[in-house]
Amino acid sequence: MSRTDLFQSPDYYQLDELLTEEHKLVRSSVREWVKREVTPVIEEFAQRAEFPKQLIRGLAEIGAFGPYIPQQYGGGGMDQISYGLIMQEIERGDSGIRSTASVQSSLVMYPIFAYGSEEQRKRYLPKLASGEWMGCFGLTEPDFGSNPAGMLTNIKADGNHVILNGSKMWISNAPFADIAVVWAKDEQGSIRGLIVERGMEGFSTPETHGKWSLRASATGELVFDNVKVPKENIFPNVKGLKGPLGCLNSARYGIAWGAIGAAMDCYDTALRYTKERIQFGKPIASFQLQQKKLAEMITEITKAQLLAWRLGVLKNENRATPQQISMAKRNNVNMAIEIAREARQMLGGMGITGEYPIMRHMMNLESVITYEGTHDIHLLITGMDVTGINAFGG
Ligand code: TGC
Ligand code: FAD
């Protein structure tokens, strides 16, 4: 089922002029890697519901693990727009592969860098940057998804250790991760972050099967049964829900870019297909209904590109608010899923096959619109920002 990757990136508003030479270099090297390593295999791995583990080394080599983490810890030392472009290009290949890179960079390396001790940074970051160790991020629980403040997972002091109990659900990379960044309540009820290593007694990571979405990404649970974790594995520099939510800002920002990649791939595929497919003696791209779909797609992609780029500038200046990030995540993922649904129809029956990437993108995006805060949760964040009134309940 391996296919030739003819992808051509749309740039309707000459947005490349807003990028530096370094941005363009980073983007083209990731794009080439995706064409060479991801496209030929991704369909088969997705059909088999298997994570292509062999891509880990390449992801590390293209700088997808910790692009904006300082080089002294093994990161790429790049800016936020480079990070965004890397996510865009990887998700152009597959949202599940982008998930692996997002989790490693923004949900594992970022908290260790931002909240960890110098010892924790030195012990974990270089190995995570090189892909020698892979990480996962445990916030969601069976009974607490959108409302993580209610979490039940807890730690109790025990000399130089804490005893960790509870469980996490829907955790990307869990089945193969070497370490987990876990959020748990201490005896005072404060949320703390700690690093749990595979092999610690009482820690297991059962895989979640039966997903119709993000099939090339491994998802699992984290189960903690009286796990004895050294106190030195707790992040010293953060307490409260702002710890995990701070990591989500970074991951949601990456998704706002990533979703553009999936949308561009669907648009590009539909454009090429409709120009070649003949019905009623003409290419179907000559019919007004098809042109309306293509025109709306390129308009929405262009708006999303502008939103992501501006957010990147604000983020580089440390001025991007969590609410601005929510708006971009929500808008761009919704834009991508709508384009995927339209593009799938434009390919007729061929649209449901693995010969084209559209159905896979479409199904993947059902997870992307749900994780890192659902579509409606992000709407409520914007609603609260503009009205000053919390509509979450509680
Ligand atoms: P609330 O009372 O509003 O806030 C509690 C504290 O947190 C602070 N805060 C933030 N800090 C940093 N960044 C943000 N985005 C923040 N949002 C809030 C806030 O200032 C406060 O601080 P303090 O010092 O006063 O204590 O919290 P709430 O309990 O009312 O919840 C608000 C809500 C619903 C917006 C939030 O909990 C939420 O975003 N829910 C969605 C949950 C979510 O996104 N889960 C994602 C799990 S990880 C994941 O999906 C990974 S998928 C990875 C992949 O495969 O790519
Ligand atoms: P719920 O919170 O039960 O929400 C169900 C519905 O109710 C949604 O439509 C929601 O918008 C709506 N809703 C909830 N509250 C309100 C409200 N106040 N007002 C209006 N509507 C509301 N989590 C991690 O911690 N780490 C991971 O690595 C990770 N990876 C994931 C990978 C995949 C493939 C998936 C699907 C999920 C992953 N998640 C991860 C979990 C993800 O973040 C949660 O699924 C998400 O936050 C939603 O939580 P929930 O599934 O419990 O849905």
Side-chain angles (χ1 to χ4, degrees), residues 25-77:
L25 202 66
V26 167
R27 183 183 60 185
S28 68
S29 72
V30 179
R31 185 170 295 167
E32 286 313 307
W33 179 80
V34 167
K35 283 193 173 187
R36 199 174 62 244
E37 304 291 337
V38 179
T39 305
V41 302
I42 194 63
E43 210 54 61
E44 278 174 26
F45 277 86
Q47 297 264 358
R48 288 207 304 269
E50 186 184 335
F51 171 65
K53 262 191 170 173
Q54 79 278 7
L55 297 182
I56 288 175
R57 181 187 289 267
L59 281 165
E61 282 168 6
I62 58 169
F65 296 155
Y68 56 86
I69 299 290
Q71 288 175 332
Q72 70 185 104
Y73 300 109

Side-chain angles (χ1 to χ4, degrees), residues 99 103 107 136-148 168-174 181 183 211 213-215 217-220 222 248 252 364 366-378 380 390-394:
S99 263
V103 169
L107 300 181
C136 66
F137 175 89
L139 179 63
T140 306
E141 300 190 355
D143 293 329
F144 298 94
S146 298
N147 175 28
K168 300 287 177 180
M169 193 181 177
W170 292 119
I171 308 304
S172 301
N173 300 354
V181 166
W183 300 92
K211 291 180 299 166
S213 172
L214 231 61
R215 289 170 64 80
S217 162
T219 313
L222 304 177
L248 296 182
R252 290 167 177 173
N364 282 343
E366 291 291 345
S367 287
V368 182
I369 204 165
T370 298
Y371 66 32
E372 302 269 7
T374 66
H375 187 65
D376 286 344
I377 288 295
H378 289 296
L380 293 175
N390 178 339
F392 291 110

